[in-house]
Amino acid sequence: MSLRNVLIFFLIVNCNLGFADLNGIGKPQIKNYSNLEYEAGMQSWMIDVSNKGIVYFANNDGLLEFDGKNWITYPVNSGSGVRSVKVSDEGKIYVGAFNEFGYFLHDINGKLNYVQLQDKVPVDYRDFDEVWRIFILSQGVVFQSYEQLMIYAGDTINVIPAPSKFHFSFSVNGEIFVNDLRDGLFKLYRNHLVKVPGTESLKGELIINILQKKENLIIITAEKGVFEYNGIALTAWKNSANQFLIDNQAFCCIEINATKYAFGTVQNGLLICDTAGVILQQINRQNGLQNNTVLCLNIDQYGNLWLGLDNGIDYIEINSPLSFFSYSEGISAGYAAVLYEGILYLGTNQGVFAKPWIDLQNGSDNKFQLIPQTQGQVWKLQVVDGELLCGHNSGTFSIRGFQAKRISSEPGGWSFLKLNGYDDILIEGTYSGLLAYKRINDNWVFQNKIKGFDESSRFIENGLDKEIWISHGYKGVFKVSLDEKLDSAIMVKFYNSEQGFPNNFGINVFEFRGKPIFTTSEGIYVFNSKTNRIEYSDEINTLFKNRKPTAIYEDGEENIWYFANSKAGVLKKQEDGSYFDLVIPFRQLDDMFIKGFQFVYSINSENVLFGTQNGFAHYLPKYPKNYQFEFNTYIREVTLSGADSIIYFGEKVEKASIPDKIPYDYNGLQFSYSANDFENADELLFSTFLEGYDEDWTRWEKREYREFTNLRHGNYLFKVKARNIYDVESEVCQLEFSILPPWYLSWVAFLFYALVFIIILALFFRIIKYRIGVLKNREKEKQERLYKERERRLLNEALLAEKEVIKLRNDKLRAEMLQKDKELANATMQTLHKNEMLMTLRDELKKLSASSNDEGHKHQSHHLVRKINKEIENENQWKVFETQFVKVHEEFLNSIKSEYPSLSPRELKLCAYLRMNISSKEIATLMNISIRGVEISRYRLRKKLNLTSDINLTDFIISF
């Protein structure tokens, strides 16, 4: 955009608010604050705004403060309701109550403290009733009650009694006027009351305010309306505004700017008119206020109105190019709109509503009228060749004035399209395909449903000859070619992600510069007829700065309105053909649009309508609102987390500090902050930075507090700033504070540490000396221990050598015993074989003797048998065996003899044989007895050994 265009734009948006025109069409944005929300009295009697942007209310419960987020009530000493409030440039907040007045002032910690002044009033004048007005003049502060004026200057109070009884007083260009109920209007002049000439007819009237109108004064009364005073005589207003005020009893008023006044009434809310008395806007309980009785009003630094009501507080954004048609005007969710033959038609989810355009412009009742038969969902309102058509859930209607006629019963009329090259043919997209209408006698008449295509056709645009582009929200895009009769689709081509679209969902078709374009979630695409594919348009997307709009509309001045990500914008056509992208005026509408059904309608260069979830928003393109207005951020409270106590209560916007240093035990702090952008308080974002702790500013977030824990000791500077929906950042609000070192880092602690260090050093040297002695002793003991260990090792080595010798000796003895055992066994076996042989010979001899008849032979045989028996039973043989056995099993024989001394030699012999594990047969041979004799001997031996039957005799002997 050229530099010239930039300068023009900023001149427009930064134009002085005094020249702003009121948006009288629709209702301004109204915020209602009930007494349950601000937690104070229902009634507020006066409003004032400090130069720091804080709003103060004289409330029934005391002084009520609002910073954009927090409501705080400060009672006066008597606890009575506060009737008046005035904030000085120095920060003193003067208040007046019943028989009491004074001021609030912030102390060094930002806490608001009350100082009463009534004690300075002379004793005879202290019963002065309610204080209703406060004025700050060069000569002092004037407090006005029913009984008197009290002028506070220096440290004294000068009292001017009322001639009879005062009602209200007024300040005009630094002059004070006061109305006496008996004697009429006076002016304060050098601490004296002077009658105002020419106002005698107002004696006894309740004057609610006096305003300046060029060289004249505007005097507003409660029951007789408005008078204009030229310094000589009074002239009554004769206009609609005056009659309204007489009928509804004016109670308060204020000058909005040099051309407009705002009046609060007892019975019918708020009236805004120009200086000629032409009504511009009426706002009451029916269209947004909480209550119809307005007790006070004031205008803030942003040009908007605060209203103190009989029950609650309201905030009205009159300084805005946006106004609204919603429930109070009988309007629900907005889908379509059109201005036709002087009537504004609004299509909603409940039907078509209409109202003459002129009635909307003259400040009259904004109620719309429902057009019969159109109840239900309206999708489209469009004027085609001088006829207003309505696409409806239940069909299609033609509307004339306040009457509707159904021209098609096909459900779901989405959109209308004049087919290229056919002046008398109209195509309508519906839930289930296309309809054709023909122009007959200046009326559109339904002809037929187009065959061959039954898809939902919400968005339709012209292509080439008899071609229609149709987008389907969930499938893709169709290109439909019609036949010559325009009653059938002869060709349908389908385009989705396979033909170039990024996906198949959320694709819409619009006409842009005479050609169809396609909006998607990834940007704008166009059709390339040469390749028969869908392609990304660099040119168009660059124009929209890659915002990825989902809906696009061109108005009659070639401006391009669009929606992207639930946000609205417009590319304003400039004189040089370039575009200026304007989005800031629509930020307040973010997320208010109906998703998937965003709607905008440019009535003309001065009026634009947006469809919203709650109705319609009206936009004045030429309204000179300053979106770069300054606002303040406040650190409202600093709390010690550990002690849960507040140490700072401030509202300061400049650099401040906490005078008292914070003990280290309470090094956890929570900072609460706010900002006074009253228009968009819920959308404010905050960023903070703690010097000495953070590396950079935090990210923007809605959270209105930040907590720190375990901060180190030292000096800190906490900073906070706010950003509103227009991306305007406030000035940085900052607060210095210090955290004391912990007790273990104080100078006393360091002195103690030095003393302890010296003691430790002395102990260290003593311990070193002691340890040296200990080490010497340990070394001596170590040498002695090593000597003893060496001796013990040598002794152990000698013992081991001796043991080795013994072991070798034992091994030798064991080997000898094994050898002897073998020898014993061999000897035994030899004896056994010998005895067996002898016994065999004996038996043979006995057989020979028995078979021989020769006595000599028999005698000789008997002699040989006796010799053989003698040899078998030879005792020497046993003695040899016993000697050998004792050498091998001496311990066994000694043990069994000791244990069983009653054993006979024969039984010991049996034990020896059993010890060698010799069988009974072999034992019989050795002992020259039968096997039966051996068994009997074994039995007897068991008896002597006391063995039970379950114990094996041989095993017992072997294991003994």
Side-chain angles (χ1 to χ4, degrees):
M1 186 175 62
S2 67
L3 177 61
R4 177 175 176 272
N5 291 331
V6 173
L7 291 174
I8 291 173
F9 171 74
F10 280 102
L11 283 173
I12 291 174
V13 299
N14 289 294
C15 185
N16 190 298
L17 289 176
F19 299 97
D21 192 17
L22 184 71
N23 189 348
I25 297 176
K27 178 191 68 178
Q29 187 85 319
I30 301 175
K31 295 181 182 179
N32 302 130
Y33 299 99
S34 70
N35 67 312
L36 296 177
E37 184 171 355
Y38 57 75
E39 297 181 343
M42 294 188 300
Q43 296 171 323
S44 295
W45 300 95
M46 188 174 288
I47 305 168
D48 200 16
V49 183
S50 74
N51 56 10
K52 296 176 183 176
I54 304 290
V55 185
Y56 294 95
F57 302 84
N59 185 266
N60 278 354
D61 282 0
L63 175 67
L64 180 61
E65 177 187 77
F66 182 57
D67 61 9
K69 192 64 178 180
N70 305 292
W71 296 89
I72 304 175
T73 304
Y74 302 93
V76 294
N77 289 348
S78 65
S80 64
V82 174
R83 304 302 186 191
S84 54
V85 59
K86 188 68 176 178
V87 186
S88 71
D89 294 338
E90 295 78 24
K92 287 185 178 180
I93 307 163
Y94 293 96
V95 295
F98 179 79
N99 280 346
E100 181 178 8
F101 62 95
Y103 61 86
F104 288 87
L105 187 63
H106 292 91
D107 63 16
I108 195 170
N109 286 321
K111 187 175 183 180
L112 205 58
N113 297 309
Y114 178 62
V115 178
Q116 66 180 20
L117 296 175
Q118 65 269 17
D119 293 342
K120 299 181 182 299
V121 177
V123 176
D124 294 341
Y125 296 98
R126 290 185 182 177
D127 187 14
F128 45 79
D129 210 300
E130 302 276 6
V131 175
W132 285 102
R133 294 289 187 268
I134 303 173
F135 306 104
I136 300 177
L137 305 175
S138 58
Q139 63 266 37
V141 182
V142 179
F143 298 87
Q144 179 252 310
S145 73
Y146 284 146
E147 302 296 332
Q148 60 205 27
L149 295 179
M150 296 165 283
I151 304 174
Y152 172 58
D155 199 36
T156 61
I157 292 179
N158 182 32
V159 176
I160 302 176
S164 62
K165 184 176 287 292
F166 289 141
H167 180 233
F168 288 153
S169 55
F170 322 98
S171 176
V172 182
N173 289 332
E175 293 184 317
I176 301 299
F177 293 83
V178 57
N179 184 32
D180 186 83
L181 293 178
R182 183 191 66 190
D183 295 345
L185 190 63
F186 290 84
K187 181 164 63 174
L188 180 63
Y189 180 74
R190 293 184 179 180
N191 293 344
H192 296 284
L193 295 178
V194 179
K195 280 193 175 185
V196 179
T199 61
E200 290 78 10
S201 60
L202 298 179
K203 287 183 179 181
E205 295 296 330
L206 300 180
I207 299 175
I208 63 167
N209 207 349
I210 300 178
L211 304 176
Q212 184 77 40
K213 181 183 178 182
K214 297 182 180 179
E215 293 81 15
N216 296 340
L217 297 179
I218 299 295
I219 301 175
I220 303 98
T221 68
E223 297 180 352
K224 290 188 176 181
V226 181
F227 296 87
E228 187 166 342
Y229 176 66
N230 60 7
I232 299 174
L234 294 168
T235 304
W237 263 14
K238 294 181 180 180
N239 48 51
S240 57
N242 194 43
Q243 189 58 49
F244 178 91
L245 295 175
I246 293 173
D247 294 340
N248 296 286
Q249 191 177 354
F251 192 85
C252 56
C253 67
I254 191 173
E255 181 183 287
I256 296 176
N257 53 44
T259 61
K260 295 175 185 65
Y261 303 135
F263 296 89
T265 69
V266 174
Q267 300 175 12
N268 203 5
L270 178 72
L271 172 75
I272 299 177
C273 68
D274 63 15
T275 55
V278 176
I279 295 177
L280 302 176
Q281 200 158 51
Q282 299 174 30
I283 304 174
N284 53 28
R285 186 170 184 176
Q286 291 182 341
N287 59 6
L289 296 187
Q290 297 179 85
N291 189 274
N292 271 339
T293 301
V294 181
L295 301 179
C296 61
L297 45 80
N298 206 342
I299 195 163
D300 65 13
Q301 66 270 38
Y302 309 124
N304 296 316
L305 278 176
W306 285 96
L307 275 64
L309 307 175
D310 191 52
N311 186 0
I313 295 170
D314 283 351
Y315 183 65
I316 305 178
E317 295 180 21
I318 61 171
N319 180 27
S320 174
L322 295 173
S323 58
F324 299 88
F325 300 115
S326 58
Y327 177 78
S328 60
E329 289 76 35
I331 303 299
S332 55
Y335 287 83
V338 68
L339 180 63
Y340 174 61
E341 294 183 345
I343 299 175
L344 179 62
Y345 296 90
L346 301 179
T348 73
N349 65 325
Q350 295 181 350
V352 178
F353 292 81
K355 189 174 183 64
W357 181 247
I358 192 171
D359 290 348
L360 293 171
Q361 293 179 304
N362 63 14
S364 64
D365 181 19
N366 283 332
K367 281 285 185 180
F368 280 74
Q369 176 183 336
L370 175 65
I371 295 181
Q373 300 186 53
T374 66
Q375 293 90 335
Q377 178 66 60
V378 176
W379 296 119
K380 188 71 172 181
L381 290 172
Q382 185 173 336
V383 178
V384 184
D385 291 345
E387 185 174 359
L388 175 58
L389 299 179
C390 170
H392 197 280
N393 179 66
S394 61
T396 305
F397 296 86
S398 174
I399 299 177
R400 297 281 184 180
F402 289 85
Q403 299 296 321
K405 181 179 71 173
R406 189 188 302 273
I407 60 175
S408 169
S409 297
E410 186 73 21
W414 282 122
S415 55
F416 303 98
L417 176 68
K418 283 288 295 294
L419 193 62
N420 280 344
Y422 296 86
D423 293 336
D424 60 343
I425 298 298
L426 179 67
I427 304 298
E428 181 182 20
T430 70
Y431 291 167
S432 57
L434 302 172
L435 305 181
Y437 296 84
K438 189 174 181 62
R439 191 74 171 168
I440 301 175
N441 296 327
D442 294 332
N443 293 310
W444 289 109
V445 179
F446 173 71
Q447 291 295 298
N448 57 271
K449 182 174 182 179
I450 296 175
K451 301 175 184 177
F453 184 78
D454 298 322
E455 298 287 350
S456 177
S457 306
R458 181 180 167 200
F459 295 99
I460 58 177
E461 294 295 344
N462 278 302
L464 299 178
D465 184 34
K466 294 189 291 295
E467 286 182 350
I468 301 175
W469 287 95
I470 302 168
S471 63
H472 191 291
Y474 298 98
K475 294 182 179 180
V477 173
F478 298 90
K479 184 172 71 170
V480 178
S481 299
L482 304 180
D483 63 359
E484 292 295 333
K485 295 181 180 180
L486 305 178
D487 61 359
S488 300
I490 58 175
M491 183 180 295
V492 177
K493 292 185 178 180
F494 180 60
Y495 299 84
N496 60 8
S497 58
E498 295 181 1
Q499 285 76 36
F501 281 117
N503 51 58
N504 300 335
F505 304 102
I507 303 173
N508 297 323
V509 59
F510 297 95
E511 181 183 354
F512 182 71
R513 295 177 177 174
K515 295 181 180 180
I517 63 170
F518 307 96
T519 62
T520 73
S521 60
E522 298 301 322
I524 298 174
Y525 286 70
V526 296
F527 175 65
N528 188 332
S529 59
K530 294 179 180 180
T531 61
N532 194 32
R533 288 187 61 82
I534 305 297
E535 298 177 352
Y536 184 83
S537 174
D538 291 321
E539 178 186 357
I540 301 177
N541 283 289
T542 300
L543 181 65
F544 284 96
K545 298 180 180 179
N546 297 314
R547 291 186 188 274
K548 300 176 183 178
T550 55
I552 297 174
Y553 305 94
E554 286 188 90
D555 64 20
E557 298 181 353
E558 299 185 45
N559 299 312
I560 305 168
W561 299 84
Y562 65 89
F563 296 92
N565 298 322
S566 298
K567 302 177 186 296
V570 59
L571 297 178
K572 300 282 289 184
K573 185 71 174 289
Q574 305 298 302
E575 292 180 1
D576 60 0
S578 63
Y579 288 91
F580 174 76
D581 190 10
L582 185 63
V583 295
I584 288 179
F586 317 116
R587 291 281 177 85
Q588 275 191 315
L589 302 178
D590 288 356
D591 300 321
M592 293 175 61
F593 305 113
I594 304 170
K595 187 176 181 180
F597 293 89
Q598 296 93 335
F599 169 78
V600 61
Y601 170 58
S602 178
I603 299 174
N604 50 44
S605 62
E606 297 182 354
N607 297 277
V608 179
L609 289 177
F610 290 91
T612 71
Q613 298 170 14
N614 298 316
F616 290 86
H618 174 254
Y619 170 60
L620 288 177
K622 296 183 179 180
Y623 188 90
K625 181 177 175 64
N626 177 16
Y627 293 99
Q628 302 299 314
F629 59 83
E630 296 181 357
F631 66 101
N632 296 322
T633 299
Y634 314 101
I635 298 174
R636 296 299 293 166
E637 200 172 84
V638 180
T639 305
L640 295 179
S641 300
D644 195 24
S645 61
I646 301 173
I647 60 172
Y648 183 76
F649 305 79
E651 64 156 37
K652 299 180 179 179
V653 295
E654 69 274 7
K655 185 174 180 180
S657 62
I658 298 175
D660 297 326
K661 293 186 177 182
I662 301 168
Y664 185 78
D665 289 344
Y666 302 104
N667 61 350
L669 286 79
Q670 178 173 297
F671 294 81
S672 299
Y673 35 82
S674 63
N676 68 332
D677 182 353
F678 305 124
E679 292 183 1
N680 309 285
D682 294 334
E683 302 300 325
L684 285 171
L685 300 176
F686 295 91
S687 179
T688 61
F689 177 61
L690 181 60
E691 285 188 8
Y693 181 84
D694 292 327
E695 293 183 359
D696 201 355
W697 287 85
T698 62
R699 62 182 179 86
W700 293 101
E701 55 186 356
K702 286 189 175 182
R703 187 176 62 173
E704 295 165 340
Y705 67 91
R706 188 176 177 196
E707 190 169 6
F708 300 91
T709 58
N710 298 322
L711 290 174
R712 294 174 57 85
H713 65 280
N715 299 322
Y716 293 91
L717 179 62
F718 179 76
K719 299 179 180 181
V720 60
K721 59 184 177 180
R723 187 178 73 187
N724 63 17
I725 63 172
Y726 306 120
D727 293 329
V728 177
E729 294 184 13
S730 70
E731 290 291 328
V732 174
C733 182
Q734 54 190 27
L735 179 67
E736 288 182 334
F737 65 96
S738 298
I739 296 178
L740 291 170
W743 63 267
Y744 51 82
L745 294 179
S746 64
W747 68 268
V748 175
F750 281 112
L751 183 62
F752 174 75
Y753 299 152
L755 181 61
V756 170
F757 178 75
I758 293 171
I759 294 172
I760 291 174
L761 195 61
L763 289 174
F764 175 75
F765 284 114
R766 185 161 187 174
I767 290 171
I768 291 297
K769 184 177 180 181
Y770 170 76
R771 287 182 65 85
I772 291 173
V774 170
L775 289 174
K776 286 182 178 179
N777 292 333
R778 285 181 180 176
E779 185 65 23
K780 182 178 179 181
E781 291 174 357
K782 179 180 178 182
Q783 295 300 325
E784 291 177 354
R785 185 173 65 254
L786 290 175
Y787 177 76
K788 290 179 180 179
E789 286 179 355
R790 185 178 180 186
E791 281 188 337
R792 188 165 53 251
R793 186 170 63 253
L794 293 173
L795 180 61
N796 288 337
E797 289 175 354
L799 291 174
L800 288 174
E802 186 178 352
K803 285 182 179 180
E804 187 66 23
V805 171
I806 294 172
K807 180 177 180 296
L808 293 173
R809 189 182 300 153
N810 289 337
D811 289 343
K812 182 179 179 183
L813 291 174
R814 224 178 275 113
E816 290 176 354
M817 288 182 68
L818 288 173
Q819 184 63 31
K820 289 179 180 180
D821 198 18
K822 288 180 180 179
E823 292 175 354
L824 175 61
N826 291 332
T828 303
M829 293 305 294
Q830 288 176 3
T831 302
L832 178 63
H833 290 307
K834 183 191 77 170
N835 286 352
E836 286 179 350
M837 182 62 71
L838 291 174
M839 290 176 72
T840 301
L841 290 174
R842 185 187 64 186
D843 292 341
E844 291 295 328
L845 285 174
K846 284 182 178 180
K847 289 180 181 179
L848 287 174
S849 176
S851 64
S852 176
N853 294 322
D854 188 353
E855 290 294 332
H857 286 129
K858 287 185 178 181
H859 176 75
Q860 190 176 1
S861 296
H862 285 302
H863 177 71
L864 289 172
V865 168
R866 284 194 299 271
K867 286 184 73 173
I868 291 171
N869 285 334
K870 184 178 180 181
E871 183 62 30
I872 293 172
E873 295 175 355
N874 192 348
E875 286 295 328
N876 291 330
Q877 178 179 302
W878 164 248
K879 287 181 180 180
V880 172
F881 175 81
E882 184 180 20
T883 302
Q884 289 293 111
F885 187 85
V886 168
K887 288 181 180 180
V888 179
H889 300 288
E890 181 181 5
E891 185 179 353
F892 168 72
L893 288 175
N894 293 334
S895 297
I896 200 166
K897 286 179 182 180
S898 174
E899 185 75 22
Y900 303 100
S902 63
L903 293 177
S904 65
R906 190 177 182 84
E907 289 169 342
L908 289 173
K909 185 186 293 187
L910 178 59
C911 289
Y913 289 146
L914 291 174
R915 174 74 177 182
M916 294 183 67
N917 200 18
I918 298 174
S919 65
S920 295
K921 181 180 177 182
E922 293 171 339
I923 293 173
T925 302
L926 291 171
M927 295 182 70
N928 195 24
I929 59 176
S930 65
I931 294 175
R932 177 66 179 167
V934 174
E935 294 298 327
I936 291 171
S937 297
R938 288 172 65 98
Y939 175 75
R940 289 173 179 170
L941 180 60
R942 291 178 65 88
K943 286 289 186 181
K944 284 193 175 184
L945 295 178
N946 297 322
L947 299 179
T948 59
S949 59
D950 59 332
I951 298 176
N952 187 280
L953 176 61
T954 302
D955 292 340
F956 176 78
I957 293 300
I958 292 173
S959 63
F960 194 84

